[in-house]
mmCIF file of all heavy atoms in Angstrom:
data_model
loop_
_atom_site.group_PDB
_atom_site.id
_atom_site.type_symbol
_atom_site.label_atom_id
_atom_site.label_comp_id
_atom_site.label_asym_id
_atom_site.label_seq_id
_atom_site.Cartn_x
_atom_site.Cartn_y
_atom_site.Cartn_z
ATOM 1 N N VAL A 170 -2.437 -7.627 14.407
ATOM 2 C CA VAL A 170 -3.661 -8.324 14.789
ATOM 3 C C VAL A 170 -3.865 -9.589 13.964
ATOM 4 O O VAL A 170 -4.377 -10.608 14.471
ATOM 5 C CB VAL A 170 -4.877 -7.408 14.673
ATOM 6 C CG1 VAL A 170 -6.174 -8.187 14.929
ATOM 7 C CG2 VAL A 170 -4.768 -6.266 15.694
ATOM 8 N N TYR A 171 -3.486 -9.582 12.686
ATOM 9 C CA TYR A 171 -3.789 -10.733 11.817
ATOM 10 C C TYR A 171 -2.548 -11.546 11.432
ATOM 11 O O TYR A 171 -2.732 -12.665 10.920
ATOM 12 C CB TYR A 171 -4.503 -10.230 10.556
ATOM 13 C CG TYR A 171 -5.774 -9.501 10.875
ATOM 14 C CD1 TYR A 171 -5.845 -8.115 10.768
ATOM 15 C CD2 TYR A 171 -6.885 -10.190 11.347
ATOM 16 C CE1 TYR A 171 -7.030 -7.446 11.084
ATOM 17 C CE2 TYR A 171 -8.062 -9.520 11.673
ATOM 18 C CZ TYR A 171 -8.118 -8.164 11.553
ATOM 19 O OH TYR A 171 -9.272 -7.494 11.874
ATOM 20 N N GLY A 172 -1.364 -11.056 11.695
ATOM 21 C CA GLY A 172 -0.162 -11.820 11.305
ATOM 22 C C GLY A 172 0.182 -11.539 9.866
ATOM 23 O O GLY A 172 -0.410 -10.726 9.179
ATOM 24 N N GLU A 173 1.186 -12.255 9.371
ATOM 25 C CA GLU A 173 1.627 -12.057 8.010
ATOM 26 C C GLU A 173 0.606 -12.564 6.990
ATOM 27 O O GLU A 173 0.535 -12.092 5.873
ATOM 28 C CB GLU A 173 2.973 -12.764 7.779
ATOM 29 C CG GLU A 173 4.136 -12.087 8.501
ATOM 30 C CD GLU A 173 4.293 -10.635 8.069
ATOM 31 O OE1 GLU A 173 4.161 -10.319 6.857
ATOM 32 O OE2 GLU A 173 4.521 -9.771 8.953
ATOM 33 N N ASN A 174 -0.198 -13.542 7.405
ATOM 34 C CA ASN A 174 -1.245 -14.036 6.522
ATOM 35 C C ASN A 174 -2.559 -13.336 6.887
ATOM 36 O O ASN A 174 -3.372 -13.852 7.631
ATOM 37 C CB ASN A 174 -1.403 -15.549 6.653
ATOM 38 C CG ASN A 174 -2.396 -16.139 5.643
ATOM 39 O OD1 ASN A 174 -2.714 -15.520 4.664
ATOM 40 N ND2 ASN A 174 -2.820 -17.364 5.881
ATOM 41 N N MET A 175 -2.757 -12.168 6.331
ATOM 42 C CA MET A 175 -3.898 -11.312 6.710
ATOM 43 C C MET A 175 -5.174 -11.645 5.937
ATOM 44 O O MET A 175 -6.222 -11.039 6.167
ATOM 45 C CB MET A 175 -3.547 -9.843 6.462
ATOM 46 C CG MET A 175 -2.494 -9.326 7.411
ATOM 47 S SD MET A 175 -2.277 -7.530 7.330
ATOM 48 C CE MET A 175 -1.338 -7.364 5.812
ATOM 49 N N LEU A 176 -5.111 -12.599 5.001
ATOM 50 C CA LEU A 176 -6.279 -13.045 4.244
ATOM 51 C C LEU A 176 -7.062 -11.878 3.690
ATOM 52 O O LEU A 176 -6.486 -11.097 2.897
ATOM 53 C CB LEU A 176 -7.153 -13.930 5.160
ATOM 54 C CG LEU A 176 -6.431 -15.167 5.757
ATOM 55 C CD1 LEU A 176 -7.362 -15.898 6.750
ATOM 56 C CD2 LEU A 176 -6.010 -16.111 4.636
ATOM 57 N N PHE A 177 -8.345 -11.752 4.025
ATOM 58 C CA PHE A 177 -9.182 -10.657 3.525
ATOM 59 C C PHE A 177 -8.509 -9.292 3.730
ATOM 60 O O PHE A 177 -8.627 -8.405 2.868
ATOM 61 C CB PHE A 177 -10.508 -10.690 4.213
ATOM 62 C CG PHE A 177 -11.385 -9.458 4.036
ATOM 63 C CD1 PHE A 177 -12.151 -9.320 2.893
ATOM 64 C CD2 PHE A 177 -11.402 -8.488 4.986
ATOM 65 C CE1 PHE A 177 -12.927 -8.181 2.722
ATOM 66 C CE2 PHE A 177 -12.178 -7.344 4.831
ATOM 67 C CZ PHE A 177 -12.959 -7.193 3.695
ATOM 68 N N TYR A 178 -7.834 -9.102 4.855
ATOM 69 C CA TYR A 178 -7.299 -7.797 5.216
ATOM 70 C C TYR A 178 -6.049 -7.433 4.444
ATOM 71 O O TYR A 178 -5.595 -6.279 4.528
ATOM 72 C CB TYR A 178 -7.063 -7.754 6.732
ATOM 73 C CG TYR A 178 -8.361 -7.864 7.494
ATOM 74 C CD1 TYR A 178 -8.697 -9.015 8.162
ATOM 75 C CD2 TYR A 178 -9.307 -6.837 7.470
ATOM 76 C CE1 TYR A 178 -9.908 -9.155 8.844
ATOM 77 C CE2 TYR A 178 -10.491 -6.955 8.113
ATOM 78 C CZ TYR A 178 -10.809 -8.108 8.806
ATOM 79 O OH TYR A 178 -12.007 -8.251 9.450
ATOM 80 N N HIS A 179 -5.526 -8.352 3.621
ATOM 81 C CA HIS A 179 -4.517 -7.933 2.662
ATOM 82 C C HIS A 179 -5.113 -6.874 1.723
ATOM 83 O O HIS A 179 -4.422 -6.005 1.212
ATOM 84 C CB HIS A 179 -4.025 -9.120 1.842
ATOM 85 C CG HIS A 179 -2.976 -9.968 2.533
ATOM 86 N ND1 HIS A 179 -1.739 -9.491 2.898
ATOM 87 C CD2 HIS A 179 -3.047 -11.270 2.963
ATOM 88 C CE1 HIS A 179 -1.071 -10.443 3.479
ATOM 89 N NE2 HIS A 179 -1.808 -11.519 3.540
ATOM 90 N N GLY A 180 -6.425 -6.972 1.473
ATOM 91 C CA GLY A 180 -7.102 -5.958 0.646
ATOM 92 C C GLY A 180 -7.074 -4.598 1.287
ATOM 93 O O GLY A 180 -6.950 -3.588 0.612
ATOM 94 N N ARG A 181 -7.203 -4.549 2.624
ATOM 95 C CA ARG A 181 -7.097 -3.266 3.342
ATOM 96 C C ARG A 181 -5.694 -2.714 3.216
ATOM 97 O O ARG A 181 -5.480 -1.521 2.997
ATOM 98 C CB ARG A 181 -7.447 -3.478 4.797
ATOM 99 C CG ARG A 181 -8.876 -3.929 5.064
ATOM 100 C CD ARG A 181 -9.841 -2.791 4.901
ATOM 101 N NE ARG A 181 -11.086 -3.073 5.562
ATOM 102 C CZ ARG A 181 -12.226 -3.339 4.933
ATOM 103 N NH1 ARG A 181 -12.272 -3.386 3.621
ATOM 104 N NH2 ARG A 181 -13.311 -3.588 5.614
ATOM 105 N N ALA A 182 -4.696 -3.606 3.362
ATOM 106 C CA ALA A 182 -3.289 -3.141 3.240
ATOM 107 C C ALA A 182 -3.040 -2.632 1.825
ATOM 108 O O ALA A 182 -2.350 -1.621 1.634
ATOM 109 C CB ALA A 182 -2.349 -4.310 3.569
ATOM 110 N N ALA A 183 -3.583 -3.328 0.809
ATOM 111 C CA ALA A 183 -3.416 -2.870 -0.569
ATOM 112 C C ALA A 183 -3.993 -1.476 -0.758
ATOM 113 O O ALA A 183 -3.382 -0.604 -1.408
ATOM 114 C CB ALA A 183 -4.105 -3.832 -1.535
ATOM 115 N N TYR A 184 -5.165 -1.262 -0.179
ATOM 116 C CA TYR A 184 -5.786 0.062 -0.263
ATOM 117 C C TYR A 184 -4.899 1.140 0.399
ATOM 118 O O TYR A 184 -4.693 2.222 -0.124
ATOM 119 C CB TYR A 184 -7.166 0.061 0.376
ATOM 120 C CG TYR A 184 -7.755 1.425 0.665
ATOM 121 C CD1 TYR A 184 -8.236 2.183 -0.395
ATOM 122 C CD2 TYR A 184 -7.779 1.925 1.951
ATOM 123 C CE1 TYR A 184 -8.748 3.474 -0.157
ATOM 124 C CE2 TYR A 184 -8.322 3.214 2.203
ATOM 125 C CZ TYR A 184 -8.798 3.952 1.139
ATOM 126 O OH TYR A 184 -9.297 5.203 1.375
ATOM 127 N N LEU A 185 -4.403 0.815 1.597
ATOM 128 C CA LEU A 185 -3.582 1.788 2.329
ATOM 129 C C LEU A 185 -2.309 2.101 1.558
ATOM 130 O O LEU A 185 -1.853 3.274 1.517
ATOM 131 C CB LEU A 185 -3.262 1.273 3.723
ATOM 132 C CG LEU A 185 -4.445 1.349 4.710
ATOM 133 C CD1 LEU A 185 -4.217 0.407 5.890
ATOM 134 C CD2 LEU A 185 -4.675 2.771 5.185
ATOM 135 N N TYR A 186 -1.645 1.118 0.982
ATOM 136 C CA TYR A 186 -0.486 1.377 0.192
ATOM 137 C C TYR A 186 -0.789 2.205 -1.040
ATOM 138 O O TYR A 186 0.023 3.061 -1.463
ATOM 139 C CB TYR A 186 0.204 0.053 -0.204
ATOM 140 C CG TYR A 186 1.133 -0.494 0.866
ATOM 141 C CD1 TYR A 186 0.875 -1.745 1.482
ATOM 142 C CD2 TYR A 186 2.270 0.210 1.286
ATOM 143 C CE1 TYR A 186 1.723 -2.250 2.450
ATOM 144 C CE2 TYR A 186 3.100 -0.304 2.256
ATOM 145 C CZ TYR A 186 2.823 -1.516 2.847
ATOM 146 O OH TYR A 186 3.646 -2.011 3.833
ATOM 147 N N ARG A 187 -1.973 2.019 -1.620
ATOM 148 C CA ARG A 187 -2.335 2.837 -2.743
ATOM 149 C C ARG A 187 -2.537 4.274 -2.310
ATOM 150 O O ARG A 187 -2.156 5.225 -3.057
ATOM 151 C CB ARG A 187 -3.621 2.293 -3.407
ATOM 152 C CG ARG A 187 -4.065 3.124 -4.598
ATOM 153 C CD ARG A 187 -5.171 2.444 -5.367
ATOM 154 N NE ARG A 187 -6.392 2.275 -4.604
ATOM 155 C CZ ARG A 187 -7.211 3.272 -4.367
ATOM 156 N NH1 ARG A 187 -6.993 4.495 -4.782
ATOM 157 N NH2 ARG A 187 -8.329 3.029 -3.687
ATOM 158 N N VAL A 188 -3.162 4.488 -1.145
ATOM 159 C CA VAL A 188 -3.298 5.838 -0.649
ATOM 160 C C VAL A 188 -1.960 6.488 -0.392
ATOM 161 O O VAL A 188 -1.709 7.645 -0.718
ATOM 162 C CB VAL A 188 -4.149 5.835 0.658
ATOM 163 C CG1 VAL A 188 -4.170 7.218 1.295
ATOM 164 C CG2 VAL A 188 -5.575 5.361 0.360
ATOM 165 N N ILE A 189 -1.027 5.727 0.187
ATOM 166 C CA ILE A 189 0.315 6.235 0.427
ATOM 167 C C ILE A 189 0.959 6.654 -0.908
ATOM 168 O O ILE A 189 1.588 7.710 -1.010
ATOM 169 C CB ILE A 189 1.173 5.166 1.111
ATOM 170 C CG1 ILE A 189 0.737 4.963 2.576
ATOM 171 C CG2 ILE A 189 2.671 5.545 1.063
ATOM 172 C CD1 ILE A 189 1.382 3.804 3.255
ATOM 173 N N ALA A 190 0.699 5.850 -1.958
ATOM 174 C CA ALA A 190 1.292 6.157 -3.265
ATOM 175 C C ALA A 190 0.769 7.496 -3.804
ATOM 176 O O ALA A 190 1.518 8.236 -4.466
ATOM 177 C CB ALA A 190 0.998 5.043 -4.254
ATOM 178 N N THR A 191 -0.497 7.837 -3.530
ATOM 179 C CA THR A 191 -1.033 9.111 -4.037
ATOM 180 C C THR A 191 -0.316 10.284 -3.388
ATOM 181 O O THR A 191 -0.153 11.326 -4.030
ATOM 182 C CB THR A 191 -2.527 9.203 -3.779
ATOM 183 O OG1 THR A 191 -2.796 9.228 -2.328
ATOM 184 C CG2 THR A 191 -3.295 8.037 -4.384
ATOM 185 N N TYR A 192 0.112 10.138 -2.130
ATOM 186 C CA TYR A 192 0.836 11.216 -1.463
ATOM 187 C C TYR A 192 2.295 11.244 -1.941
ATOM 188 O O TYR A 192 2.881 12.306 -2.156
ATOM 189 C CB TYR A 192 0.785 11.080 0.053
ATOM 190 C CG TYR A 192 -0.576 11.438 0.617
ATOM 191 C CD1 TYR A 192 -1.569 10.463 0.781
ATOM 192 C CD2 TYR A 192 -0.894 12.740 0.939
ATOM 193 C CE1 TYR A 192 -2.821 10.781 1.263
ATOM 194 C CE2 TYR A 192 -2.147 13.072 1.441
ATOM 195 C CZ TYR A 192 -3.118 12.099 1.597
ATOM 196 O OH TYR A 192 -4.339 12.439 2.107
ATOM 197 N N LYS A 193 2.871 10.081 -2.127
ATOM 198 C CA LYS A 193 4.276 9.986 -2.563
ATOM 199 C C LYS A 193 4.439 10.607 -3.985
ATOM 200 O O LYS A 193 5.416 11.312 -4.231
ATOM 201 C CB LYS A 193 4.722 8.542 -2.555
ATOM 202 C CG LYS A 193 4.818 7.875 -1.189
ATOM 203 C CD LYS A 193 6.059 8.311 -0.414
ATOM 204 C CE LYS A 193 6.238 7.488 0.834
ATOM 205 N NZ LYS A 193 7.423 7.906 1.614
ATOM 206 N N ILE A 194 3.495 10.300 -4.868
ATOM 207 C CA ILE A 194 3.630 10.826 -6.196
ATOM 208 C C ILE A 194 3.412 12.331 -6.202
ATOM 209 O O ILE A 194 4.034 13.069 -6.971
ATOM 210 C CB ILE A 194 2.640 10.108 -7.182
ATOM 211 C CG1 ILE A 194 3.012 10.390 -8.635
ATOM 212 C CG2 ILE A 194 1.163 10.540 -6.912
ATOM 213 C CD1 ILE A 194 4.238 9.712 -9.090
ATOM 214 N N ALA A 195 2.560 12.819 -5.290
ATOM 215 C CA ALA A 195 2.344 14.278 -5.183
ATOM 216 C C ALA A 195 3.628 14.959 -4.664
ATOM 217 O O ALA A 195 3.922 16.117 -4.989
ATOM 218 C CB ALA A 195 1.184 14.558 -4.256
ATOM 219 N N GLN A 196 4.403 14.221 -3.867
ATOM 220 C CA GLN A 196 5.697 14.750 -3.349
ATOM 221 C C GLN A 196 6.798 14.603 -4.392
ATOM 222 O O GLN A 196 7.932 14.993 -4.112
ATOM 223 C CB GLN A 196 6.078 14.000 -2.085
ATOM 224 C CG GLN A 196 5.181 14.275 -0.893
ATOM 225 C CD GLN A 196 5.573 13.414 0.301
ATOM 226 O OE1 GLN A 196 5.923 12.246 0.146
ATOM 227 N NE2 GLN A 196 5.464 13.960 1.492
ATOM 228 N N LYS A 197 6.472 14.009 -5.541
ATOM 229 C CA LYS A 197 7.469 13.731 -6.609
ATOM 230 C C LYS A 197 8.522 12.738 -6.123
ATOM 231 O O LYS A 197 9.672 12.733 -6.597
ATOM 232 C CB LYS A 197 8.109 15.052 -7.109
ATOM 233 C CG LYS A 197 7.129 15.968 -7.812
ATOM 234 C CD LYS A 197 7.788 17.178 -8.338
ATOM 235 C CE LYS A 197 6.890 18.013 -9.252
ATOM 236 N NZ LYS A 197 5.532 18.228 -8.713
ATOM 237 N N ASN A 198 8.156 11.952 -5.145
ATOM 238 C CA ASN A 198 9.012 10.882 -4.632
ATOM 239 C C ASN A 198 8.690 9.585 -5.445
ATOM 240 O O ASN A 198 7.892 8.771 -5.013
ATOM 241 C CB ASN A 198 8.764 10.661 -3.141
ATOM 242 C CG ASN A 198 9.650 9.582 -2.570
ATOM 243 O OD1 ASN A 198 10.329 8.817 -3.273
ATOM 244 N ND2 ASN A 198 9.642 9.456 -1.232
ATOM 245 N N HIS A 199 9.300 9.471 -6.603
ATOM 246 C CA HIS A 199 8.952 8.451 -7.522
ATOM 247 C C HIS A 199 9.337 7.028 -7.007
ATOM 248 O O HIS A 199 8.591 6.073 -7.186
ATOM 249 C CB HIS A 199 9.557 8.702 -8.890
ATOM 250 C CG HIS A 199 8.967 9.903 -9.565
ATOM 251 N ND1 HIS A 199 9.408 10.391 -10.740
ATOM 252 C CD2 HIS A 199 7.940 10.721 -9.181
ATOM 253 C CE1 HIS A 199 8.740 11.488 -11.089
ATOM 254 N NE2 HIS A 199 7.839 11.695 -10.138
ATOM 255 N N GLU A 200 10.503 6.945 -6.395
ATOM 256 C CA GLU A 200 10.902 5.642 -5.854
ATOM 257 C C GLU A 200 9.975 5.231 -4.722
ATOM 258 O O GLU A 200 9.586 4.071 -4.609
ATOM 259 C CB GLU A 200 12.358 5.690 -5.346
ATOM 260 C CG GLU A 200 13.383 5.666 -6.464
ATOM 261 C CD GLU A 200 13.242 4.403 -7.309
ATOM 262 O OE1 GLU A 200 13.197 3.290 -6.757
ATOM 263 O OE2 GLU A 200 13.200 4.552 -8.544
ATOM 264 N N GLY A 201 9.626 6.185 -3.859
ATOM 265 C CA GLY A 201 8.687 5.878 -2.781
ATOM 266 C C GLY A 201 7.321 5.476 -3.315
ATOM 267 O O GLY A 201 6.659 4.573 -2.782
ATOM 268 N N THR A 202 6.883 6.100 -4.408
ATOM 269 C CA THR A 202 5.613 5.736 -5.032
ATOM 270 C C THR A 202 5.666 4.300 -5.554
ATOM 271 O O THR A 202 4.728 3.527 -5.311
ATOM 272 C CB THR A 202 5.287 6.693 -6.210
ATOM 273 O OG1 THR A 202 5.264 8.053 -5.715
ATOM 274 C CG2 THR A 202 3.959 6.350 -6.849
ATOM 275 N N LEU A 203 6.729 3.972 -6.251
ATOM 276 C CA LEU A 203 6.877 2.620 -6.795
ATOM 277 C C LEU A 203 6.954 1.578 -5.686
ATOM 278 O O LEU A 203 6.410 0.463 -5.842
ATOM 279 C CB LEU A 203 8.091 2.554 -7.713
ATOM 280 C CG LEU A 203 7.947 3.342 -9.029
ATOM 281 C CD1 LEU A 203 9.291 3.509 -9.725
ATOM 282 C CD2 LEU A 203 6.936 2.654 -9.946
ATOM 283 N N ASP A 204 7.617 1.928 -4.604
ATOM 284 C CA ASP A 204 7.696 0.989 -3.478
ATOM 285 C C ASP A 204 6.274 0.715 -2.919
ATOM 286 O O ASP A 204 5.909 -0.440 -2.641
ATOM 287 C CB ASP A 204 8.561 1.571 -2.336
ATOM 288 C CG ASP A 204 10.053 1.575 -2.656
ATOM 289 O OD1 ASP A 204 10.419 0.857 -3.618
ATOM 290 O OD2 ASP A 204 10.789 2.332 -2.006
ATOM 291 N N ALA A 205 5.483 1.792 -2.759
ATOM 292 C CA ALA A 205 4.113 1.660 -2.234
ATOM 293 C C ALA A 205 3.249 0.881 -3.215
ATOM 294 O O ALA A 205 2.465 0.004 -2.777
ATOM 295 C CB ALA A 205 3.518 3.026 -1.951
ATOM 296 N N LEU A 206 3.362 1.142 -4.512
ATOM 297 C CA LEU A 206 2.546 0.439 -5.489
ATOM 298 C C LEU A 206 2.928 -1.044 -5.593
ATOM 299 O O LEU A 206 2.110 -1.895 -5.796
ATOM 300 C CB LEU A 206 2.653 1.120 -6.852
ATOM 301 C CG LEU A 206 2.056 2.496 -6.971
ATOM 302 C CD1 LEU A 206 2.261 3.072 -8.344
ATOM 303 C CD2 LEU A 206 0.555 2.487 -6.611
ATOM 304 N N SER A 207 4.200 -1.302 -5.405
ATOM 305 C CA SER A 207 4.644 -2.704 -5.417
ATOM 306 C C SER A 207 4.023 -3.461 -4.239
ATOM 307 O O SER A 207 3.550 -4.583 -4.388
ATOM 308 C CB SER A 207 6.164 -2.767 -5.333
ATOM 309 O OG SER A 207 6.632 -4.101 -5.300
ATOM 310 N N GLN A 208 3.972 -2.806 -3.060
ATOM 311 C CA GLN A 208 3.351 -3.416 -1.889
ATOM 312 C C GLN A 208 1.860 -3.571 -2.142
ATOM 313 O O GLN A 208 1.253 -4.575 -1.739
ATOM 314 C CB GLN A 208 3.617 -2.571 -0.669
ATOM 315 C CG GLN A 208 5.063 -2.629 -0.157
ATOM 316 C CD GLN A 208 5.328 -3.876 0.637
ATOM 317 O OE1 GLN A 208 4.513 -4.785 0.720
ATOM 318 N NE2 GLN A 208 6.500 -3.912 1.261
ATOM 319 N N MET A 209 1.266 -2.554 -2.739
ATOM 320 C CA MET A 209 -0.158 -2.623 -3.068
ATOM 321 C C MET A 209 -0.464 -3.880 -3.919
ATOM 322 O O MET A 209 -1.387 -4.636 -3.641
ATOM 323 C CB MET A 209 -0.576 -1.369 -3.830
ATOM 324 C CG MET A 209 -2.014 -1.402 -4.362
ATOM 325 S SD MET A 209 -2.264 -0.270 -5.754
ATOM 326 C CE MET A 209 -1.367 -1.143 -7.076
ATOM 327 N N CYS A 210 0.361 -4.066 -4.928
ATOM 328 C CA CYS A 210 0.155 -5.192 -5.843
ATOM 329 C C CYS A 210 0.277 -6.521 -5.128
ATOM 330 O O CYS A 210 -0.532 -7.436 -5.284
ATOM 331 C CB CYS A 210 1.220 -5.098 -6.972
ATOM 332 S SG CYS A 210 1.117 -6.403 -8.212
ATOM 333 N N THR A 211 1.317 -6.642 -4.273
ATOM 334 C CA THR A 211 1.539 -7.876 -3.520
ATOM 335 C C THR A 211 0.356 -8.212 -2.614
ATOM 336 O O THR A 211 -0.150 -9.338 -2.563
ATOM 337 C CB THR A 211 2.834 -7.780 -2.679
ATOM 338 O OG1 THR A 211 3.938 -7.589 -3.550
ATOM 339 C CG2 THR A 211 3.016 -9.025 -1.828
ATOM 340 N N HIS A 212 -0.115 -7.201 -1.878
ATOM 341 C CA HIS A 212 -1.212 -7.450 -0.932
ATOM 342 C C HIS A 212 -2.531 -7.696 -1.654
ATOM 343 O O HIS A 212 -3.333 -8.509 -1.227
ATOM 344 C CB HIS A 212 -1.356 -6.243 0.029
ATOM 345 C CG HIS A 212 -0.302 -6.243 1.101
ATOM 346 N ND1 HIS A 212 -0.352 -7.060 2.208
ATOM 347 C CD2 HIS A 212 0.848 -5.512 1.233
ATOM 348 C CE1 HIS A 212 0.668 -6.842 2.987
ATOM 349 N NE2 HIS A 212 1.422 -5.949 2.418
#
């Protein structure tokens, strides 16, 4: 809906990636967690 330049909604993406990281770390999927947190940081 917003394209690659999501402006304000990059904050929503950052939140969603952080939520994903909480599940990945619970699964002991450390690489997946770091991938999600890296995306969180970027957004």
Side-chain angles (χ1 to χ4, degrees):
V170 173
Y171 301 106
E173 289 302 319
N174 188 16
M175 293 190 282
L176 302 175
F177 167 83
Y178 296 107
H179 280 296
R181 297 284 199 251
Y184 167 73
L185 285 162
Y186 276 117
R187 181 171 62 77
V188 173
I189 290 172
T191 64
Y192 287 92
K193 293 284 188 180
I194 196 70
Q196 292 175 323
K197 296 183 170 46
N198 181 350
H199 294 174
E200 283 302 310
T202 302
L203 290 167
D204 289 343
L206 292 179
S207 178
Q208 288 281 7
M209 173 202 72
C210 181
T211 297
H212 283 282

